[in-house]
Amino acid sequence: MTLFETLAMQHGNILNLHYHNQRFRQGQVFLNRQNVIDDIAKLITLPKDIGIKKLIRCRVTYDKDDVKVAYFDYIPKNICSFKLIECDKIAYEYKYDDRNVLNHLLSQKNKCDEIIIIKNGFVTDCSIGNLIFLKDNIWYTPDTPLLKGTQRAYLLDNKKIQLATIKKDDIWQYQKVMMINTLNAFDETRAIMINQQNIQ
């Protein structure tokens, strides 16, 4: 079994390193890795040919015995619409390298840009990150995520978002929705209005 961490690097620094280290350690324990690496930053050496000022996506892939590191320029995904997809059997508590189930669900998005995965009637995540919802000037995130993301943890700890139980039919009580992940921090300009055109 193989897991991975996606890190956002800017100005040569790893963003939200504390949260990545927490999850990285948990993943290694889950894999029964013999020599647990406490600080993922020790694995990172930014190549000289990569611009230090721009946002870089660093992917650390690891299994019980091996670790691989790769670097990529980051190209943001423009999300303007979501398709509601129900799947009660999905499990993604760790960042599994095998994303076949997520990719299968994403293939059902039709003309929408992304999906909102509904599990047992509750809102979870999209295929590439957690979700937050705006109501009465307060941002909420579902308390039933598939994966507890690092950006989500940071925003919760800093009281920028709150937990809420959000069922499928509750979505329409909110005004806006936003995807968040390692490379997509809280930014209200990325939020989209919740209506029948944007949420299908």
Side-chain angles (χ1 to χ4, degrees), residues 7-10 13-18 20 55 182:
L7 310 173
M9 300 185 65
Q10 198 161 37
N13 298 315
I14 301 171
L15 306 184
N16 292 332
L17 176 59
H18 167 71
H20 285 290
L55 190 62
T182 296

Side-chain angles (χ1 to χ4, degrees), residues 78-83 111-115 192 197-200:
N78 188 29
I79 298 175
C80 297
S81 59
F82 289 92
K83 174 78 172 177
K111 294 183 179 181
C112 294
D113 300 313
E114 249 296 338
I115 58 174
I192 66 167
Q197 180 179 350
N198 295 338
I199 311 293
Q200 298 177 17

Side-chain angles (χ1 to χ4, degrees), residues 16-17 37 40 45 49 60 70 84 91 97 102 121 130 139 149 156 160-161 164 170 172 184 187 189 197:
N16 292 332
L17 176 59
I37 301 168
I40 202 169
T45 304
D49 59 339
V60 178
L84 298 176
D97 190 42
L102 288 172
N130 298 126
W139 286 93
L156 283 169
K160 294 181 181 291
I161 62 175
D170 295 339
W172 308 107
N184 290 271
D187 179 356
T189 63
Q197 180 179 350

Side-chain angles (χ1 to χ4, degrees), residues 40-55:
I40 202 169
K42 294 178 180 177
L43 303 171
I44 309 303
T45 304
L46 195 63
K48 293 182 179 179
D49 59 339
I50 293 183
I52 196 171
K53 293 183 179 180
K54 58 186 176 182
L55 190 62

Side-chain angles (χ1 to χ4, degrees), residues 51-93:
I52 196 171
K53 293 183 179 180
K54 58 186 176 182
L55 190 62
I56 300 298
R57 177 169 67 93
C58 173
R59 180 184 170 103
V60 178
T61 307
Y62 62 103
D63 57 22
K64 187 177 179 180
D65 305 303
D66 195 21
V67 178
K68 296 179 181 178
V69 182
Y71 306 89
F72 310 91
D73 289 340
Y74 179 61
I75 302 173
K77 181 177 180 180
N78 188 29
I79 298 175
C80 297
S81 59
F82 289 92
K83 174 78 172 177
L84 298 176
I85 300 291
E86 301 196 33
C87 182
D88 294 343
K89 295 182 179 180
I90 188 170
Y92 199 77
E93 296 90 351

